[in-house]
Amino acid sequence: MTKDVFDCMRESHSVRNFTQQEILEPTLTRILEAGCWAPSAGNLQPWYFYVVKNQEVKQKVAKACFGQNQVEESPVSIVILADPARSNEKYGERGAQLYCLQDTAVAAENMILAAHGLGLATCWIGAFDEVQVQKAVEAPPRLRAVAIICLGYSNEVHTPAKERLRVQEVAKFIH
């Protein structure tokens, strides 16, 4: 059973403590499919998802994340990499420097919302040594690590959502 997407946006939050309950392959596949459904510039889909379950590799990735233990302790960590060359072919430098990063970020958010809708918890990791992460997962040098999603079932007591800025504080309507 999945939740309404608006409920997922409102309720999802970063979790850093996970149970060791296994994530079933069909569930994991649905989450990865959500990433594949993300929009991308020119529909180039310049992303790769490295699904890390191996404990030794997760330890290497965690070390590259400056000791963020949730990378190592979550049942699955998904390293999301961009292929700047793919975006460069159609959009030049702007594609390589910006569009591929935007595209992979949208794919990551789709996966986070899908995971929450399926009852799983996530933590987006953005602080890491990009080259070390790339080496840890043995990605080709042309790929750029953009984000890591720790994935599993929460072992935390849910706290109320943080206060958010109101629409009136962040939106300007131009008529």
Side-chain angles (χ1 to χ4, degrees):
M1 188 62 122
T2 59
K3 292 185 177 189
D4 173 77
V5 70
F6 287 94
D7 289 337
C8 291
M9 286 184 269
R10 189 175 28 263
E11 297 170 3
S12 71
H13 61 282
S14 293
V15 168
R16 290 171 179 80
N17 295 296
F18 298 90
T19 70
Q20 290 307 305
Q21 180 179 344
E22 181 184 358
I23 301 169
L24 299 176
E25 287 297 320
T27 301
L28 187 54
T29 298
R30 288 189 74 192
I31 293 166
L32 295 168
E33 285 174 343
C36 292
W37 294 333
S40 62
N43 195 33
L44 296 175
Q45 304 169 56
W47 48 64
Y48 290 92
F49 311 133
Y50 282 55
V51 181
V52 184
K53 295 181 176 183
N54 178 283
Q55 197 60 35
E56 186 178 312
V57 176
K58 284 195 299 180
Q59 287 172 348
K60 290 178 186 176
V61 173
K63 185 177 178 185
C65 293
F66 315 115
Q68 295 185 71
N69 294 333
Q70 65 269 30
V71 174
E72 185 176 346
E73 294 169 3
S74 62
V76 174
S77 288
I78 303 172
V79 178
I80 302 170
L81 300 110
D83 187 348
R86 191 180 304 170
S87 296
N88 185 69
E89 288 176 13
K90 186 168 186 176
Y91 296 109
E93 175 119 2
R94 188 164 174 85
Q97 298 297 316
L98 178 63
Y99 298 166
C100 69
L101 302 178
Q102 292 173 329
D103 296 344
T104 52
V106 173
E109 181 65 9
N110 270 18
M111 287 191 270
I112 287 170
L113 292 173
H116 186 78
L118 293 168
L120 282 95
T122 61
C123 185
W124 176 305
I125 305 290
F128 52 80
D129 180 315
E130 197 174 312
V131 174
Q132 290 305 313
V133 168
Q134 179 188 29
K135 287 179 182 176
V137 298
E138 299 179 4
R142 75 174 197 283
L143 300 183
R144 183 168 180 200
V146 175
I148 299 166
I149 298 174
C150 303
L151 181 64
Y153 294 94
S154 177
N155 198 21
E156 296 179 357
V157 176
H158 177 62
T159 56
K162 294 178 183 176
E163 188 174 321
R164 309 304 297 178
L165 295 174
R166 297 184 336 245
V167 170
Q168 298 84 345
E169 296 173 290
V170 297
K172 178 180 180 177
F173 290 85
I174 302 171
H175 299 277

